[in-house]
Amino acid sequence: MTTCYHCGDPCKEEVIKFEDKSFCCQGCQTVYEILNQNDLCDYYKLEQMPGISPKVQKQDKFAYLENEDIKEQLLDYKDDSISRTHLYLPQIHCSSCLWLLENLYRLQPAIQQSRVNFLKKEVTVTFSNTEFSLRQLVELLANIGYEPEINLDRIDQPKKKAISRKLMYQVGLAGFAFGNIMLLSLPEYFGLDLESYEEFAVWFGYLNLLIATPVAFYSGWDYFKSAWISLRSKRLNIDVPIALGVLVLYIRSLYEVVSQTGAGYFDSLCGLLFFLLLGRIFQEKTYHRLSFERDYKAYFPISVVRIKNNEEKTIPVNEIQKGDRILIHNGELIPVDGILIRGDAQIDNSFATGESKPISKESGDRIYAGGRQQGEAIEIEALRPLSQSKLTSLWNDQVETIKTHNHFSEITDKISEWFTPIILIIAIISGVLQWANGLHAVVQVVSAVLIVACPCALALAAPFTFGHTTRWLGRQNCYLRESAVVEDMANLNHIVFDKTGTLTYSNNQSVNYNGTPLTAAQQSDIHTILRQSNHPLSRLIFNSIQQETWSTISEFEEIPAKGLTAKVGELRYKIGAPKWVGMNIKNTNDSVVAISINDEPIGYYTIFNEYRTGLDQLLNKLSTNYGLSLISGDNDGQKDRLISMFPKGSELIFNQSPKEKMDYIEQLQNQNLKVMMVGDGLNDAGALKKSNVGVALAEDVNAFSPACDLILSAEAFNQLDQILTFAKSAKKIVIISFIISFLYNIVGLSFAVQGLLSPVTAAILMPISSISVVGFSTIAVWIASKKVK
């Protein structure tokens, strides 16, 4: 029967010919024409007949996507020109799907970017909403065979994905056939030689063949397909020996039944696929469970200043309610959608869209979550409570800050590249050695070797262990961007600390003013200017000034590592580093913030640095396993005190700009060091991004930074050594899991090559090995967590 060039389905009702190619329906032909017109036919080179046959859509099927309330639920981000959404596409099944969906921009220029999460079967799309709507995007996907599954009743809830229905059918068919073939084969098992049975033996053999054939080619189809793709790409994956084992069993059984020389091995074949597919169900449920828990456990600590009854109070963002008025400082992330009430909003949306050019907003304009204010502080009125899942999605998917991780899953793939040919060689040698015992023995040995050697447990060890580790760290107020960060933490050998706001408290420190006495008007101006900034020193001085009136400022700017500049009426204020302000201050051991008006220095604030409790002990513990450095933008007035706190041999550097901090991290990495940078997430973004693991310390301010890999609550700072020890334990658990899997294979192979292990027994043992590895990793992580106090 003719098959469709696009989707591979049989052309039952009609055959449409187009450019010497056959299509089963008008929809498949249309998709081919779309791809052909846009030079996207490489889609068919990656996989043969990879397409999905698009269903005929009603003209108004997606009209509900024009509703603003529904669009708000489906969009992760939206501004006046850019929208971003992620959609679940259950049709994703191969590399061609991934390639086509990541080239959507070639089908529609309004699509700026599309990225696929193959495991979750999700695509994240950023598009221009002035040229293209959400409804048009969904219609485009549906027209090329990838209609999104949209369930509005569960849109705000983490949804546990169901096991593939096809997989359930495959398991059901294999289990049904396995049981019935065993019943028909009972006389063979017991060695009965009754004449009455002999009359039916031939018919039982053909009946078993009839039952087993759909099992071999439907239940085993995914193994055959995966093996064929692997061979065609000139590489060997782990499904090759399985497919070969199934094929050997089927052909040998077919020969025995047709030639009437035996009953065949149909029971072994069906039992083999039944237990293999049970193992696959177990693996899918494991991945789905990890993914599901990650969706709602990946919260991170962001707080925000709420203005109520003219009082400013820091609250967690998840307590924001509709109608609350919140204050967003310079450089802070906007956590919720809102209406601009006061201030000059210059919104940097690079976190959400990649576009870094600030967008101006006026009072009354709508501002969307995910933007970052650049300039003076603004007040917005929240339109709705926090959608934590959307903000988490932005953090997890932010492309510019994702680092290259050496996942254990990549090691697993590399292992399979040499593991599979070794197993094939062992199977061939074993078969040759068993040849003297007859073809039956050869089939048994080769099949058992091919099945028992499947290292499926390796695929579960790393994600399950790191998933448990990530969840435990979350309970300790340590929030990771992704579970692969655990491995990077385990490989660290050097830690770099920022000083202000990291080693020191961001509040409860004494502040003293020295210089020309300030008038009430000047205090009001300074108080207002400091209110715009989120730097720890700015917040300390701001809180120390008792002032209830506010000035009107203009031309505000915060310059990293230097300070603040703003204009109030005809007065130009500069508040920041003494040298930048134009003041020479000597012999001070404390942090200093100088002030000038119209370029005339008038005085300075000294801030007594109060270091975090237990800092000395933490640094001593860390020094046993890590090199330590301090790199600060402040002066070196505290150098002697810090030298006494840091272990001997630590490097302490002061008066560093953000660029110099980043260069220092790179310098350490050039010495083959794996570096963790611990900062406050404000002036350290470049260094956090450059380091192998960037840690933003969060206290009672919005310290969230998209450049970091890990957000650590200030309460958990003294546990940093224990957190790193736990990460190392997690890596050891994965390695031990690998060893357990290899030992299982060695023991299994030792029995299989001797002909002491049947294919069915091997298939039963394989999911048991996966369960044992997952069970070990679960218990081991729990035990490791109990050792960390």
Side-chain angles (χ1 to χ4, degrees), residues 620-664:
N620 283 327
K621 290 177 183 177
L622 291 173
S623 65
T624 59
N625 296 306
Y626 305 94
L628 301 180
S629 299
L630 175 114
I631 184 164
S632 174
D634 293 344
N635 60 56
D636 60 358
Q638 291 283 308
K639 185 174 182 178
D640 291 340
R641 186 176 179 186
L642 287 165
I643 288 176
S644 67
M645 299 174 71
F646 271 80
K648 188 176 180 180
S650 302
E651 188 172 15
L652 281 65
I653 308 175
F654 300 89
N655 298 308
Q656 298 294 293
S657 69
K659 175 67 167 57
E660 288 171 328
K661 290 183 179 182
M662 186 171 65
D663 291 341
Y664 179 72

Side-chain angles (χ1 to χ4, degrees), residues 495-506:
I495 303 176
V496 179
F497 293 95
D498 176 46
K499 181 173 78 73
T500 305
T502 303
L503 300 184
T504 63
Y505 288 106
S506 295

Side-chain angles (χ1 to χ4, degrees), residues 301-302 612 679-680 696-701 703-704 711-715:
I302 301 181
R612 296 187 183 277
D680 56 22
L697 197 67
E699 194 140 11
D700 61 348
V701 294
F704 172 69
I711 297 177
L712 182 65
S713 170
E715 299 173 358

Side-chain angles (χ1 to χ4, degrees), residues 173-189 197 200-217 249-258 262-271 273:
L173 177 61
F176 168 81
F178 181 42
N180 282 278
I181 291 175
M182 286 185 69
L183 286 174
L184 293 173
S185 303
L186 283 176
E188 293 282 345
Y189 296 153
Y197 171 70
F200 291 97
V202 175
W203 300 108
F204 282 178
Y206 279 106
L207 185 58
N208 286 344
L209 172 62
L210 181 65
I211 295 174
T213 297
V215 175
F217 296 102
L249 281 174
Y250 181 78
I251 293 175
R252 175 59 185 168
S253 301
L254 175 64
Y255 168 76
E256 288 193 5
V257 169
V258 173
Y265 310 97
F266 292 122
D267 52 347
S268 297
L269 185 150
C270 295
L273 286 172

